[in-house]
Amino acid sequence: MDLRHLRYFTALAEELHFGRAAQRLGISQPPLSQQIHALELELGAELFIRTSRRVELTEAGRLFLAEARAVLSRAEQALIVGQRAGRGEIGELRIGFTASAPLASIMPTLIHTFREQRPDVHLTLREMLSHQQMQELLDGSLDVAFLRTPADPSLMDPRIAAIELQREELLVFLPKSHPLARTSPRHRIALAELHQDVFVHFSREAGAITYDQFIELCRAAGFRPRIGQEAREAVTIIGLVAAGVGITIMAASLRNIRLANVVTRRLAEPAPCLSTWLAHLSEGASPTTQAFLALGATAGP
């Protein structure tokens, strides 16, 4: 038995006339009669009472009709689901992000737009460290990841591709008591001016990529930074700056964490930058992932 048998049977059951049912199906009457007969043989039951004047459903036919309609309805629904899944309109998208990524405007904007365009896609968002995101992309636990790095993540692993979404300057975050906090807001600070300061920064475990960038920037400026306190979260680091524990260098978007005792200054040109990247596996993306990546591709810097 196949769906064609059920469609032929349902059409005849509703029309109760071979000629009209055949016309509705777009076939001639003999093939319809043959298929109905084959179906009855397969079931071992007569579905119709046929006379020269009329066609009627038997009791078996009436019971079978309800089931046939249900099967055809489910088949139609399965077809719709398959088509929508193929277009990326339903399914699940698993998104990784670092703690500071939502503070950059691009991540909230992308997710909000995607939810509006594809409301039936379930989004699973997970906060994690950058190296954890890279690993979970590779093992298939994540579909996309918002990474904050100075360099293209695909340079770290060729199995990963990435779209640059946003580029931000790195700023110096200072407590108001710091001498450089009294300079004009337009004043740019040379990194070498900070060689005697104590820094608060991400631990290498929490942000290996940004940690390495910070150390390299200081080395290029001619000194090795004194890190007096490490932390895992940006808000903690800025809070420690406010407490006078030290100074830090972080992305401009983190000015959105407003604390009364903290001021920011730009670094001397050329100012170092940190990018937000949308990372994914270079091959095998699902239609839903492809739809999200297409949205991200239109939002690059």
Side-chain angles (χ1 to χ4, degrees):
M1 186 187 305
D2 57 31
L3 292 178
R4 182 183 57 175
H5 284 133
L6 298 183
R7 292 191 184 98
Y8 286 6
F9 164 75
T10 301
L12 183 57
E14 292 173 350
E15 297 292 344
L16 294 177
H17 188 282
F18 276 91
R20 289 196 300 270
Q23 185 176 16
R24 171 174 155 182
L25 293 165
I27 62 174
S28 61
Q29 186 171 329
L32 174 59
S33 299
Q34 292 167 8
Q35 292 299 322
I36 295 298
H37 180 64
L39 178 60
E40 290 176 323
L41 287 176
E42 184 175 356
L43 295 174
E46 286 190 349
L47 300 174
F48 296 97
I49 299 170
R50 306 165 179 84
T51 69
S52 58
R53 292 186 173 184
R54 58 190 173 86
V55 176
E56 291 184 3
L57 283 167
T58 64
E59 180 62 20
R62 283 190 291 273
L63 294 172
F64 187 67
L65 177 59
E67 299 299 326
R69 282 172 170 161
V71 170
L72 291 174
S73 177
R74 290 295 301 275
E76 180 66 22
Q77 180 62 25
L79 177 64
I80 292 171
V81 168
Q83 291 171 335
R84 294 191 68 201
R87 294 191 297 265
E89 295 175 359
I90 58 175
E92 180 184 18
L93 186 66
R94 300 163 299 174
I95 301 172
F97 63 96
T98 59
S100 63
L103 296 173
S105 61
I106 190 64
M107 177 184 162
T109 298
L110 270 183
I111 290 176
H112 177 75
T113 302
F114 189 77
R115 287 175 65 88
E116 284 192 326
Q117 292 179 354
R118 298 169 189 267
D120 294 327
V121 173
H122 176 69
L123 301 183
T124 300
L125 292 97
R126 297 172 56 204
E127 179 190 332
M128 58 184 69
L129 302 177
S130 294
H131 70 272
Q132 292 173 325
Q133 291 185 74
M134 295 282 282
Q135 184 56 52
E136 296 212 10
L137 282 173
L138 293 172
D139 68 23
S141 299
L142 285 180
D143 299 306
V144 296
F146 286 91
L147 296 172
R148 307 262 280 172
T149 89
D152 186 341
S154 66
L155 299 176
M156 306 171 211
D157 193 304
R159 294 169 292 177
I160 288 178
I163 301 166
E164 188 177 15
L165 299 175
Q166 190 173 26
R167 195 175 299 161
E168 304 174 64
E169 281 189 43
L170 294 178
L171 304 179
V172 184
F173 288 69
L174 306 160
K176 279 189 175 179
S177 59
H178 195 284
L180 289 172
R182 302 197 234 353
T183 61
S184 165
R186 293 189 296 275
H187 174 70
R188 286 179 176 263
I189 297 174
L191 196 55
E193 295 181 68
L194 307 175
H195 70 282
Q196 291 186 331
D197 280 280
V198 175
F199 287 85
V200 183
H201 201 70
F202 291 108
S203 65
R204 196 174 197 288
E205 177 192 15
I209 297 168
T210 52
Y211 181 92
D212 290 344
Q213 181 193 23
F214 168 64
I215 296 297
E216 178 57 28
L217 286 173
C218 294
R219 187 200 64 76
F223 70 98
R224 182 170 184 83
R226 290 190 296 150
I227 300 177
Q229 182 67 49
E230 294 182 340
R232 294 173 60 93
E233 304 294 341
V235 66
T236 304
I237 292 172
I238 295 175
L240 292 172
V241 171
V245 174
I247 68 172
T248 194
I249 295 174
M250 303 182 79
S253 61
L254 294 173
R255 285 180 298 189
N256 293 327
I257 303 173
R258 300 185 183 276
L259 294 179
N261 201 37
V262 176
V263 299
T264 60
R265 294 291 183 269
R266 299 177 75 184
L267 287 164
E269 294 182 332
C273 292
L274 187 69
S275 292
T276 299
W277 299 83
L278 182 59
H280 59 98
L281 288 180
S282 55
E283 297 180 352
S286 70
T288 304
T289 302
Q290 291 174 19
F292 193 79
L293 295 175
L295 187 62
T298 66

